[in-house]
PDB file of all heavy atoms in Angstrom:
ATOM      1  N   VAL A   1     -60.974 -36.979  44.391  1.00 95.00           N
ATOM      2  CA  VAL A   1     -59.716 -36.290  44.689  1.00 95.00           C
ATOM      3  C   VAL A   1     -59.043 -36.993  45.857  1.00 95.00           C
ATOM      4  O   VAL A   1     -59.715 -37.469  46.776  1.00 95.00           O
ATOM      5  CB  VAL A   1     -59.998 -34.800  45.033  1.00 95.00           C
ATOM      6  CG1 VAL A   1     -58.702 -34.054  45.303  1.00 95.00           C
ATOM      7  CG2 VAL A   1     -60.767 -34.117  43.912  1.00 95.00           C
ATOM      8  N   LYS A   2     -57.696 -37.044  45.814  1.00 95.00           N
ATOM      9  CA  LYS A   2     -56.949 -37.654  46.918  1.00 95.00           C
ATOM     10  C   LYS A   2     -55.957 -36.629  47.457  1.00 95.00           C
ATOM     11  O   LYS A   2     -55.186 -36.047  46.697  1.00 95.00           O
ATOM     12  CB  LYS A   2     -56.202 -38.885  46.419  1.00 95.00           C
ATOM     13  CG  LYS A   2     -55.458 -39.626  47.526  1.00 95.00           C
ATOM     14  CD  LYS A   2     -54.632 -40.769  46.964  1.00 95.00           C
ATOM     15  CE  LYS A   2     -55.465 -42.020  46.848  1.00 95.00           C
ATOM     16  NZ  LYS A   2     -54.630 -43.191  46.487  1.00 95.00           N
ATOM     17  N   ASP A   3     -55.982 -36.386  48.778  1.00 92.00           N
ATOM     18  CA  ASP A   3     -55.109 -35.343  49.336  1.00 92.00           C
ATOM     19  C   ASP A   3     -53.752 -35.913  49.738  1.00 92.00           C
ATOM     20  O   ASP A   3     -53.462 -37.095  49.527  1.00 92.00           O
ATOM     21  CB  ASP A   3     -55.800 -34.616  50.505  1.00 92.00           C
ATOM     22  CG  ASP A   3     -55.984 -35.505  51.726  1.00 92.00           C
ATOM     23  OD1 ASP A   3     -55.419 -36.612  51.753  1.00 92.00           O
ATOM     24  OD2 ASP A   3     -56.690 -35.094  52.669  1.00 92.00           O
ATOM     25  N   ALA A   4     -52.920 -35.051  50.340  1.00 91.00           N
ATOM     26  CA  ALA A   4     -51.535 -35.443  50.640  1.00 91.00           C
ATOM     27  C   ALA A   4     -51.462 -36.545  51.700  1.00 91.00           C
ATOM     28  O   ALA A   4     -50.457 -37.240  51.812  1.00 91.00           O
ATOM     29  CB  ALA A   4     -50.738 -34.227  51.101  1.00 91.00           C
ATOM     30  N   LYS A   5     -52.525 -36.702  52.503  1.00 91.00           N
ATOM     31  CA  LYS A   5     -52.533 -37.782  53.510  1.00 91.00           C
ATOM     32  C   LYS A   5     -53.197 -39.042  52.978  1.00 91.00           C
ATOM     33  O   LYS A   5     -53.630 -39.897  53.748  1.00 91.00           O
ATOM     34  CB  LYS A   5     -53.266 -37.308  54.769  1.00 91.00           C
ATOM     35  CG  LYS A   5     -52.469 -36.273  55.565  1.00 91.00           C
ATOM     36  CD  LYS A   5     -52.897 -36.261  57.018  1.00 91.00           C
ATOM     37  CE  LYS A   5     -51.867 -35.514  57.854  1.00 91.00           C
ATOM     38  NZ  LYS A   5     -52.201 -35.501  59.276  1.00 91.00           N
ATOM     39  N   GLU A   6     -53.305 -39.132  51.634  1.00 91.00           N
ATOM     40  CA  GLU A   6     -53.879 -40.302  50.959  1.00 91.00           C
ATOM     41  C   GLU A   6     -55.347 -40.526  51.307  1.00 91.00           C
ATOM     42  O   GLU A   6     -55.833 -41.657  51.264  1.00 91.00           O
ATOM     43  CB  GLU A   6     -53.064 -41.582  51.313  1.00 91.00           C
ATOM     44  CG  GLU A   6     -51.609 -41.530  50.899  1.00 91.00           C
ATOM     45  CD  GLU A   6     -51.437 -41.517  49.378  1.00 91.00           C
ATOM     46  OE1 GLU A   6     -52.018 -42.362  48.697  1.00 91.00           O
ATOM     47  OE2 GLU A   6     -50.728 -40.625  48.889  1.00 91.00           O
ATOM     48  N   ARG A   7     -56.042 -39.458  51.675  1.00 92.00           N
ATOM     49  CA  ARG A   7     -57.480 -39.595  51.945  1.00 92.00           C
ATOM     50  C   ARG A   7     -58.253 -39.180  50.712  1.00 92.00           C
ATOM     51  O   ARG A   7     -58.004 -38.120  50.155  1.00 92.00           O
ATOM     52  CB  ARG A   7     -57.882 -38.698  53.120  1.00 92.00           C
ATOM     53  CG  ARG A   7     -57.287 -39.178  54.424  1.00 92.00           C
ATOM     54  CD  ARG A   7     -57.609 -38.231  55.550  1.00 92.00           C
ATOM     55  NE  ARG A   7     -56.941 -38.670  56.767  1.00 92.00           N
ATOM     56  CZ  ARG A   7     -56.554 -37.861  57.734  1.00 92.00           C
ATOM     57  NH1 ARG A   7     -56.748 -36.567  57.620  1.00 92.00           N
ATOM     58  NH2 ARG A   7     -55.977 -38.333  58.818  1.00 92.00           N
ATOM     59  N   SER A   8     -59.173 -40.028  50.296  1.00 95.00           N
ATOM     60  CA  SER A   8     -59.941 -39.736  49.090  1.00 95.00           C
ATOM     61  C   SER A   8     -61.302 -39.164  49.447  1.00 95.00           C
ATOM     62  O   SER A   8     -61.894 -39.520  50.470  1.00 95.00           O
ATOM     63  CB  SER A   8     -60.127 -41.005  48.259  1.00 95.00           C
ATOM     64  OG  SER A   8     -58.881 -41.420  47.760  1.00 95.00           O
ATOM     65  N   PHE A   9     -61.792 -38.286  48.599  1.00 94.00           N
ATOM     66  CA  PHE A   9     -63.147 -37.760  48.763  1.00 94.00           C
ATOM     67  C   PHE A   9     -63.666 -37.400  47.377  1.00 94.00           C
ATOM     68  O   PHE A   9     -62.901 -37.299  46.415  1.00 94.00           O
ATOM     69  CB  PHE A   9     -63.167 -36.543  49.699  1.00 94.00           C
ATOM     70  CG  PHE A   9     -62.227 -35.444  49.310  1.00 94.00           C
ATOM     71  CD1 PHE A   9     -62.652 -34.367  48.548  1.00 94.00           C
ATOM     72  CD2 PHE A   9     -60.886 -35.473  49.708  1.00 94.00           C
ATOM     73  CE1 PHE A   9     -61.777 -33.347  48.196  1.00 94.00           C
ATOM     74  CE2 PHE A   9     -60.008 -34.462  49.349  1.00 94.00           C
ATOM     75  CZ  PHE A   9     -60.469 -33.397  48.591  1.00 94.00           C
ATOM     76  N   ALA A  10     -64.975 -37.243  47.277  1.00 95.00           N
ATOM     77  CA  ALA A  10     -65.597 -36.962  45.980  1.00 95.00           C
ATOM     78  C   ALA A  10     -66.463 -35.722  46.106  1.00 95.00           C
ATOM     79  O   ALA A  10     -67.029 -35.448  47.162  1.00 95.00           O
ATOM     80  CB  ALA A  10     -66.440 -38.148  45.532  1.00 95.00           C
ATOM     81  N   THR A  11     -66.557 -34.970  45.004  1.00 95.00           N
ATOM     82  CA  THR A  11     -67.398 -33.773  45.003  1.00 95.00           C
ATOM     83  C   THR A  11     -67.846 -33.494  43.576  1.00 95.00           C
ATOM     84  O   THR A  11     -67.386 -34.143  42.634  1.00 95.00           O
ATOM     85  CB  THR A  11     -66.639 -32.563  45.590  1.00 95.00           C
ATOM     86  OG1 THR A  11     -67.527 -31.458  45.706  1.00 95.00           O
ATOM     87  CG2 THR A  11     -65.474 -32.169  44.716  1.00 95.00           C
ATOM     88  N   ARG A  12     -68.763 -32.538  43.431  1.00 95.00           N
ATOM     89  CA  ARG A  12     -69.229 -32.187  42.092  1.00 95.00           C
ATOM     90  C   ARG A  12     -68.129 -31.482  41.315  1.00 95.00           C
ATOM     91  O   ARG A  12     -67.320 -30.770  41.887  1.00 95.00           O
ATOM     92  CB  ARG A  12     -70.434 -31.246  42.185  1.00 95.00           C
ATOM     93  CG  ARG A  12     -71.700 -31.947  42.609  1.00 95.00           C
ATOM     94  CD  ARG A  12     -72.839 -30.949  42.582  1.00 95.00           C
ATOM     95  NE  ARG A  12     -74.070 -31.564  43.055  1.00 95.00           N
ATOM     96  CZ  ARG A  12     -75.221 -30.909  43.186  1.00 95.00           C
ATOM     97  NH1 ARG A  12     -75.260 -29.618  42.891  1.00 95.00           N
ATOM     98  NH2 ARG A  12     -76.297 -31.518  43.602  1.00 95.00           N
ATOM     99  N   GLN A  13     -68.182 -31.664  39.996  1.00 94.00           N
ATOM    100  CA  GLN A  13     -67.160 -31.057  39.146  1.00 94.00           C
ATOM    101  C   GLN A  13     -67.147 -29.538  39.269  1.00 94.00           C
ATOM    102  O   GLN A  13     -66.093 -28.901  39.207  1.00 94.00           O
ATOM    103  CB  GLN A  13     -67.423 -31.450  37.691  1.00 94.00           C
ATOM    104  CG  GLN A  13     -66.400 -30.918  36.726  1.00 94.00           C
ATOM    105  CD  GLN A  13     -66.634 -31.426  35.329  1.00 94.00           C
ATOM    106  OE1 GLN A  13     -66.619 -32.622  35.108  1.00 94.00           O
ATOM    107  NE2 GLN A  13     -66.862 -30.539  34.393  1.00 94.00           N
ATOM    108  N   SER A  14     -68.320 -28.941  39.501  1.00 94.00           N
ATOM    109  CA  SER A  14     -68.399 -27.476  39.581  1.00 94.00           C
ATOM    110  C   SER A  14     -67.648 -26.937  40.793  1.00 94.00           C
ATOM    111  O   SER A  14     -67.307 -25.756  40.846  1.00 94.00           O
ATOM    112  CB  SER A  14     -69.857 -27.026  39.632  1.00 94.00           C
ATOM    113  OG  SER A  14     -70.507 -27.622  40.733  1.00 94.00           O
ATOM    114  N   ASN A  15     -67.392 -27.789  41.802  1.00 94.00           N
ATOM    115  CA  ASN A  15     -66.682 -27.343  43.001  1.00 94.00           C
ATOM    116  C   ASN A  15     -65.169 -27.493  42.896  1.00 94.00           C
ATOM    117  O   ASN A  15     -64.451 -27.121  43.816  1.00 94.00           O
ATOM    118  CB  ASN A  15     -67.146 -28.154  44.220  1.00 94.00           C
ATOM    119  CG  ASN A  15     -68.594 -27.899  44.567  1.00 94.00           C
ATOM    120  OD1 ASN A  15     -69.124 -26.846  44.244  1.00 94.00           O
ATOM    121  ND2 ASN A  15     -69.234 -28.861  45.199  1.00 94.00           N
ATOM    122  N   VAL A  16     -64.679 -28.069  41.804  1.00 95.00           N
ATOM    123  CA  VAL A  16     -63.255 -28.397  41.695  1.00 95.00           C
ATOM    124  C   VAL A  16     -62.560 -27.322  40.854  1.00 95.00           C
ATOM    125  O   VAL A  16     -62.982 -27.024  39.742  1.00 95.00           O
ATOM    126  CB  VAL A  16     -63.057 -29.782  41.054  1.00 95.00           C
ATOM    127  CG1 VAL A  16     -61.577 -30.105  40.919  1.00 95.00           C
ATOM    128  CG2 VAL A  16     -63.747 -30.845  41.894  1.00 95.00           C
ATOM    129  N   PHE A  17     -61.499 -26.759  41.427  1.00 94.00           N
ATOM    130  CA  PHE A  17     -60.756 -25.667  40.774  1.00 94.00           C
ATOM    131  C   PHE A  17     -59.308 -26.101  40.667  1.00 94.00           C
ATOM    132  O   PHE A  17     -58.612 -26.229  41.670  1.00 94.00           O
ATOM    133  CB  PHE A  17     -60.876 -24.402  41.638  1.00 94.00           C
ATOM    134  CG  PHE A  17     -60.429 -23.129  40.968  1.00 94.00           C
ATOM    135  CD1 PHE A  17     -61.327 -22.102  40.763  1.00 94.00           C
ATOM    136  CD2 PHE A  17     -59.111 -22.958  40.580  1.00 94.00           C
ATOM    137  CE1 PHE A  17     -60.924 -20.909  40.170  1.00 94.00           C
ATOM    138  CE2 PHE A  17     -58.690 -21.772  39.981  1.00 94.00           C
ATOM    139  CZ  PHE A  17     -59.609 -20.748  39.772  1.00 94.00           C
ATOM    140  N   VAL A  18     -58.841 -26.370  39.447  1.00 95.00           N
ATOM    141  CA  VAL A  18     -57.454 -26.829  39.249  1.00 95.00           C
ATOM    142  C   VAL A  18     -56.507 -25.671  39.559  1.00 95.00           C
ATOM    143  O   VAL A  18     -56.682 -24.566  39.054  1.00 95.00           O
ATOM    144  CB  VAL A  18     -57.248 -27.309  37.800  1.00 95.00           C
ATOM    145  CG1 VAL A  18     -55.808 -27.745  37.587  1.00 95.00           C
ATOM    146  CG2 VAL A  18     -58.191 -28.451  37.492  1.00 95.00           C
ATOM    147  N   ILE A  19     -55.515 -25.920  40.437  1.00 93.00           N
ATOM    148  CA  ILE A  19     -54.582 -24.841  40.800  1.00 93.00           C
ATOM    149  C   ILE A  19     -53.138 -25.172  40.442  1.00 93.00           C
ATOM    150  O   ILE A  19     -52.233 -24.414  40.774  1.00 93.00           O
ATOM    151  CB  ILE A  19     -54.669 -24.482  42.299  1.00 93.00           C
ATOM    152  CG1 ILE A  19     -54.416 -25.717  43.163  1.00 93.00           C
ATOM    153  CG2 ILE A  19     -55.982 -23.837  42.637  1.00 93.00           C
ATOM    154  CD1 ILE A  19     -54.187 -25.394  44.617  1.00 93.00           C
ATOM    155  N   GLY A  20     -52.908 -26.301  39.763  1.00 92.00           N
ATOM    156  CA  GLY A  20     -51.530 -26.600  39.385  1.00 92.00           C
ATOM    157  C   GLY A  20     -51.421 -27.963  38.718  1.00 92.00           C
ATOM    158  O   GLY A  20     -52.390 -28.714  38.627  1.00 92.00           O
ATOM    159  N   THR A  21     -50.211 -28.249  38.265  1.00 92.00           N
ATOM    160  CA  THR A  21     -49.954 -29.528  37.603  1.00 92.00           C
ATOM    161  C   THR A  21     -49.436 -30.524  38.635  1.00 92.00           C
ATOM    162  O   THR A  21     -49.350 -30.226  39.824  1.00 92.00           O
ATOM    163  CB  THR A  21     -48.900 -29.333  36.509  1.00 92.00           C
ATOM    164  OG1 THR A  21     -47.713 -28.830  37.135  1.00 92.00           O
ATOM    165  CG2 THR A  21     -49.363 -28.339  35.461  1.00 92.00           C
ATOM    166  N   SER A  22     -49.047 -31.698  38.144  1.00 89.00           N
ATOM    167  CA  SER A  22     -48.502 -32.710  39.053  1.00 89.00           C
ATOM    168  C   SER A  22     -47.180 -32.246  39.661  1.00 89.00           C
ATOM    169  O   SER A  22     -46.722 -32.790  40.667  1.00 89.00           O
ATOM    170  CB  SER A  22     -48.305 -34.030  38.304  1.00 89.00           C
ATOM    171  OG  SER A  22     -47.556 -33.790  37.132  1.00 89.00           O
ATOM    172  N   GLN A  23     -46.546 -31.226  39.046  1.00 90.00           N
ATOM    173  CA  GLN A  23     -45.282 -30.697  39.590  1.00 90.00           C
ATOM    174  C   GLN A  23     -45.508 -29.919  40.885  1.00 90.00           C
ATOM    175  O   GLN A  23     -44.612 -29.797  41.704  1.00 90.00           O
ATOM    176  CB  GLN A  23     -44.622 -29.751  38.580  1.00 90.00           C
ATOM    177  CG  GLN A  23     -44.612 -30.256  37.149  1.00 90.00           C
ATOM    178  CD  GLN A  23     -43.745 -31.483  36.985  1.00 90.00           C
ATOM    179  OE1 GLN A  23     -42.599 -31.444  37.262  1.00 90.00           O
ATOM    180  NE2 GLN A  23     -44.319 -32.579  36.527  1.00 90.00           N
ATOM    181  N   GLY A  24     -46.714 -29.360  41.053  1.00 89.00           N
ATOM    182  CA  GLY A  24     -46.998 -28.572  42.261  1.00 89.00           C
ATOM    183  C   GLY A  24     -47.997 -27.472  41.946  1.00 89.00           C
ATOM    184  O   GLY A  24     -48.262 -27.178  40.776  1.00 89.00           O
ATOM    185  N   PRO A  25     -48.558 -26.851  42.995  1.00 91.00           N
ATOM    186  CA  PRO A  25     -49.535 -25.771  42.768  1.00 91.00           C
ATOM    187  C   PRO A  25     -48.862 -24.506  42.251  1.00 91.00           C
ATOM    188  O   PRO A  25     -47.704 -24.236  42.561  1.00 91.00           O
ATOM    189  CB  PRO A  25     -50.142 -25.546  44.159  1.00 91.00           C
ATOM    190  CG  PRO A  25     -49.146 -26.087  45.116  1.00 91.00           C
ATOM    191  CD  PRO A  25     -48.381 -27.159  44.424  1.00 91.00           C
ATOM    192  N   TRP A  26     -49.608 -23.731  41.455  1.00 93.00           N
ATOM    193  CA  TRP A  26     -49.080 -22.482  40.895  1.00 93.00           C
ATOM    194  C   TRP A  26     -49.207 -21.324  41.862  1.00 93.00           C
ATOM    195  O   TRP A  26     -48.571 -20.303  41.699  1.00 93.00           O
ATOM    196  CB  TRP A  26     -49.816 -22.145  39.592  1.00 93.00           C
ATOM    197  CG  TRP A  26     -49.391 -23.009  38.443  1.00 93.00           C
ATOM    198  CD1 TRP A  26     -48.440 -23.982  38.474  1.00 93.00           C
ATOM    199  CD2 TRP A  26     -49.888 -22.975  37.098  1.00 93.00           C
ATOM    200  NE1 TRP A  26     -48.313 -24.565  37.243  1.00 93.00           N
ATOM    201  CE2 TRP A  26     -49.184 -23.966  36.373  1.00 93.00           C
ATOM    202  CE3 TRP A  26     -50.848 -22.213  36.445  1.00 93.00           C
ATOM    203  CZ2 TRP A  26     -49.429 -24.193  35.025  1.00 93.00           C
ATOM    204  CZ3 TRP A  26     -51.085 -22.446  35.109  1.00 93.00           C
ATOM    205  CH2 TRP A  26     -50.380 -23.424  34.394  1.00 93.00           C
ATOM    206  N   VAL A  27     -50.089 -21.459  42.854  1.00 92.00           N
ATOM    207  CA  VAL A  27     -50.217 -20.407  43.862  1.00 92.00           C
ATOM    208  C   VAL A  27     -49.817 -20.997  45.205  1.00 92.00           C
ATOM    209  O   VAL A  27     -49.957 -22.198  45.431  1.00 92.00           O
ATOM    210  CB  VAL A  27     -51.672 -19.862  43.946  1.00 92.00           C
ATOM    211  CG1 VAL A  27     -52.039 -19.116  42.697  1.00 92.00           C
ATOM    212  CG2 VAL A  27     -52.663 -20.970  44.222  1.00 92.00           C
ATOM    213  N   SER A  28     -49.292 -20.156  46.111  1.00 92.00           N
ATOM    214  CA  SER A  28     -48.914 -20.661  47.426  1.00 92.00           C
ATOM    215  C   SER A  28     -50.178 -20.946  48.224  1.00 92.00           C
ATOM    216  O   SER A  28     -51.205 -20.281  48.050  1.00 92.00           O
ATOM    217  CB  SER A  28     -48.034 -19.646  48.152  1.00 92.00           C
ATOM    218  OG  SER A  28     -48.718 -18.429  48.279  1.00 92.00           O
ATOM    219  N   LEU A  29     -50.098 -21.939  49.103  1.00 91.00           N
ATOM    220  CA  LEU A  29     -51.269 -22.364  49.884  1.00 91.00           C
ATOM    221  C   LEU A  29     -51.156 -21.841  51.309  1.00 91.00           C
ATOM    222  O   LEU A  29     -50.059 -21.594  51.808  1.00 91.00           O
ATOM    223  CB  LEU A  29     -51.353 -23.890  49.911  1.00 91.00           C
ATOM    224  CG  LEU A  29     -51.526 -24.560  48.539  1.00 91.00           C
ATOM    225  CD1 LEU A  29     -51.437 -26.064  48.660  1.00 91.00           C
ATOM    226  CD2 LEU A  29     -52.847 -24.155  47.911  1.00 91.00           C
ATOM    227  N   PRO A  30     -52.291 -21.661  52.002  1.00 90.00           N
ATOM    228  CA  PRO A  30     -52.232 -21.222  53.400  1.00 90.00           C
ATOM    229  C   PRO A  30     -51.604 -22.287  54.285  1.00 90.00           C
ATOM    230  O   PRO A  30     -51.301 -23.386  53.826  1.00 90.00           O
ATOM    231  CB  PRO A  30     -53.701 -20.975  53.772  1.00 90.00           C
ATOM    232  CG  PRO A  30     -54.495 -21.742  52.781  1.00 90.00           C
ATOM    233  CD  PRO A  30     -53.678 -21.801  51.533  1.00 90.00           C
ATOM    234  N   LYS A  31     -51.440 -21.963  55.573  1.00 88.00           N
ATOM    235  CA  LYS A  31     -50.567 -22.812  56.396  1.00 88.00           C
ATOM    236  C   LYS A  31     -51.061 -24.241  56.593  1.00 88.00           C
ATOM    237  O   LYS A  31     -50.263 -25.135  56.837  1.00 88.00           O
ATOM    238  CB  LYS A  31     -50.288 -22.147  57.751  1.00 88.00           C
ATOM    239  CG  LYS A  31     -51.484 -21.955  58.659  1.00 88.00           C
ATOM    240  CD  LYS A  31     -51.022 -21.457  60.029  1.00 88.00           C
ATOM    241  CE  LYS A  31     -52.152 -21.334  61.026  1.00 88.00           C
ATOM    242  NZ  LYS A  31     -53.034 -20.201  60.769  1.00 88.00           N
ATOM    243  N   ASP A  32     -52.380 -24.490  56.488  1.00 86.00           N
ATOM    244  CA  ASP A  32     -52.836 -25.884  56.649  1.00 86.00           C
ATOM    245  C   ASP A  32     -52.641 -26.694  55.365  1.00 86.00           C
ATOM    246  O   ASP A  32     -52.908 -27.891  55.343  1.00 86.00           O
ATOM    247  CB  ASP A  32     -54.299 -25.938  57.111  1.00 86.00           C
ATOM    248  CG  ASP A  32     -55.211 -25.110  56.214  1.00 86.00           C
ATOM    249  OD1 ASP A  32     -54.834 -24.889  55.055  1.00 86.00           O
ATOM    250  OD2 ASP A  32     -56.284 -24.682  56.681  1.00 86.00           O
ATOM    251  N   LYS A  33     -52.193 -26.036  54.279  1.00 88.00           N
ATOM    252  CA  LYS A  33     -51.879 -26.704  53.008  1.00 88.00           C
ATOM    253  C   LYS A  33     -53.060 -27.497  52.439  1.00 88.00           C
ATOM    254  O   LYS A  33     -52.879 -28.441  51.668  1.00 88.00           O
ATOM    255  CB  LYS A  33     -50.677 -27.658  53.165  1.00 88.00           C
ATOM    256  CG  LYS A  33     -49.400 -26.948  53.549  1.00 88.00           C
ATOM    257  CD  LYS A  33     -48.798 -26.208  52.371  1.00 88.00           C
ATOM    258  CE  LYS A  33     -47.497 -25.533  52.721  1.00 88.00           C
ATOM    259  NZ  LYS A  33     -47.540 -24.087  52.614  1.00 88.00           N
ATOM    260  N   GLY A  34     -54.272 -27.134  52.858  1.00 86.00           N
ATOM    261  CA  GLY A  34     -55.453 -27.782  52.293  1.00 86.00           C
ATOM    262  C   GLY A  34     -55.662 -29.206  52.756  1.00 86.00           C
ATOM    263  O   GLY A  34     -56.345 -29.991  52.097  1.00 86.00           O
ATOM    264  N   ILE A  35     -55.064 -29.555  53.914  1.00 89.00           N
ATOM    265  CA  ILE A  35     -55.241 -30.920  54.459  1.00 89.00           C
ATOM    266  C   ILE A  35     -56.197 -30.844  55.646  1.00 89.00           C
ATOM    267  O   ILE A  35     -55.912 -30.175  56.641  1.00 89.00           O
ATOM    268  CB  ILE A  35     -53.890 -31.521  54.893  1.00 89.00           C
ATOM    269  CG1 ILE A  35     -52.985 -31.672  53.676  1.00 89.00           C
ATOM    270  CG2 ILE A  35     -54.099 -32.853  55.586  1.00 89.00           C
ATOM    271  CD1 ILE A  35     -51.565 -31.985  54.004  1.00 89.00           C
ATOM    272  N   LYS A  36     -57.332 -31.521  55.512  1.00 91.00           N
ATOM    273  CA  LYS A  36     -58.336 -31.466  56.570  1.00 91.00           C
ATOM    274  C   LYS A  36     -58.040 -32.542  57.606  1.00 91.00           C
ATOM    275  O   LYS A  36     -57.893 -33.726  57.269  1.00 91.00           O
ATOM    276  CB  LYS A  36     -59.732 -31.695  55.964  1.00 91.00           C
ATOM    277  CG  LYS A  36     -60.857 -31.421  56.924  1.00 91.00           C
ATOM    278  CD  LYS A  36     -62.188 -31.451  56.188  1.00 91.00           C
ATOM    279  CE  LYS A  36     -63.274 -30.875  57.063  1.00 91.00           C
ATOM    280  NZ  LYS A  36     -64.533 -30.728  56.325  1.00 91.00           N
ATOM    281  N   LEU A  37     -57.931 -32.125  58.855  1.00 89.00           N
ATOM    282  CA  LEU A  37     -57.679 -33.071  59.935  1.00 89.00           C
ATOM    283  C   LEU A  37     -59.003 -33.564  60.498  1.00 89.00           C
ATOM    284  O   LEU A  37     -60.013 -32.856  60.458  1.00 89.00           O
ATOM    285  CB  LEU A  37     -56.878 -32.386  61.055  1.00 89.00           C
ATOM    286  CG  LEU A  37     -55.535 -31.781  60.653  1.00 89.00           C
ATOM    287  CD1 LEU A  37     -54.921 -31.037  61.834  1.00 89.00           C
ATOM    288  CD2 LEU A  37     -54.581 -32.857  60.168  1.00 89.00           C
ATOM    289  N   THR A  38     -58.986 -34.784  61.039  1.00 90.00           N
ATOM    290  CA  THR A  38     -60.188 -35.261  61.738  1.00 90.00           C
ATOM    291  C   THR A  38     -60.285 -34.526  63.075  1.00 90.00           C
ATOM    292  O   THR A  38     -59.323 -33.878  63.522  1.00 90.00           O
ATOM    293  CB  THR A  38     -60.108 -36.771  61.992  1.00 90.00           C
ATOM    294  OG1 THR A  38     -58.960 -37.019  62.821  1.00 90.00           O
ATOM    295  CG2 THR A  38     -59.961 -37.537  60.685  1.00 90.00           C
ATOM    296  N   ILE A  39     -61.436 -34.642  63.724  1.00 92.00           N
ATOM    297  CA  ILE A  39     -61.631 -33.950  64.998  1.00 92.00           C
ATOM    298  C   ILE A  39     -60.598 -34.418  66.018  1.00 92.00           C
ATOM    299  O   ILE A  39     -60.047 -33.624  66.790  1.00 92.00           O
ATOM    300  CB  ILE A  39     -63.061 -34.200  65.533  1.00 92.00           C
ATOM    301  CG1 ILE A  39     -64.068 -33.671  64.509  1.00 92.00           C
ATOM    302  CG2 ILE A  39     -63.288 -33.519  66.868  1.00 92.00           C
ATOM    303  CD1 ILE A  39     -65.485 -34.011  64.813  1.00 92.00           C
ATOM    304  N   ALA A  40     -60.315 -35.733  66.006  1.00 94.00           N
ATOM    305  CA  ALA A  40     -59.338 -36.279  66.960  1.00 94.00           C
ATOM    306  C   ALA A  40     -57.943 -35.710  66.700  1.00 94.00           C
ATOM    307  O   ALA A  40     -57.212 -35.366  67.634  1.00 94.00           O
ATOM    308  CB  ALA A  40     -59.312 -37.800  66.872  1.00 94.00           C
ATOM    309  N   GLU A  41     -57.581 -35.586  65.412  1.00 91.00           N
ATOM    310  CA  GLU A  41     -56.262 -35.041  65.075  1.00 91.00           C
ATOM    311  C   GLU A  41     -56.156 -33.577  65.465  1.00 91.00           C
ATOM    312  O   GLU A  41     -55.108 -33.126  65.943  1.00 91.00           O
ATOM    313  CB  GLU A  41     -56.001 -35.200  63.568  1.00 91.00           C
ATOM    314  CG  GLU A  41     -55.706 -36.626  63.159  1.00 91.00           C
ATOM    315  CD  GLU A  41     -55.640 -36.796  61.648  1.00 91.00           C
ATOM    316  OE1 GLU A  41     -56.280 -36.006  60.926  1.00 91.00           O
ATOM    317  OE2 GLU A  41     -54.953 -37.716  61.199  1.00 91.00           O
ATOM    318  N   GLU A  42     -57.251 -32.832  65.268  1.00 91.00           N
ATOM    319  CA  GLU A  42     -57.255 -31.423  65.682  1.00 91.00           C
ATOM    320  C   GLU A  42     -57.048 -31.313  67.191  1.00 91.00           C
ATOM    321  O   GLU A  42     -56.302 -30.459  67.668  1.00 91.00           O
ATOM    322  CB  GLU A  42     -58.587 -30.758  65.301  1.00 91.00           C
ATOM    323  CG  GLU A  42     -58.650 -30.345  63.853  1.00 91.00           C
ATOM    324  CD  GLU A  42     -59.925 -29.608  63.531  1.00 91.00           C
ATOM    325  OE1 GLU A  42     -60.703 -29.288  64.466  1.00 91.00           O
ATOM    326  OE2 GLU A  42     -60.166 -29.349  62.352  1.00 91.00           O
ATOM    327  N   ARG A  43     -57.734 -32.193  67.932  1.00 94.00           N
ATOM    328  CA  ARG A  43     -57.601 -32.164  69.391  1.00 94.00           C
ATOM    329  C   ARG A  43     -56.157 -32.466  69.808  1.00 94.00           C
ATOM    330  O   ARG A  43     -55.590 -31.777  70.658  1.00 94.00           O
ATOM    331  CB  ARG A  43     -58.553 -33.224  69.992  1.00 94.00           C
ATOM    332  CG  ARG A  43     -58.485 -33.362  71.506  1.00 94.00           C
ATOM    333  CD  ARG A  43     -59.003 -34.709  71.945  1.00 94.00           C
ATOM    334  NE  ARG A  43     -58.188 -35.794  71.362  1.00 94.00           N
ATOM    335  CZ  ARG A  43     -58.596 -37.046  71.259  1.00 94.00           C
ATOM    336  NH1 ARG A  43     -59.813 -37.380  71.649  1.00 94.00           N
ATOM    337  NH2 ARG A  43     -57.811 -37.966  70.749  1.00 94.00           N
TER     338      ARG A  43
END
């Protein structure tokens, strides 16, 4: 999977839940929009 900051990561298929098409998610996302920051960025 590749997130909005172009960071790629891999996980098991059982952990992946499709929430929308390439047009956008079908449900609204919380304020962090599912983008994980590094510790330095959080600081």
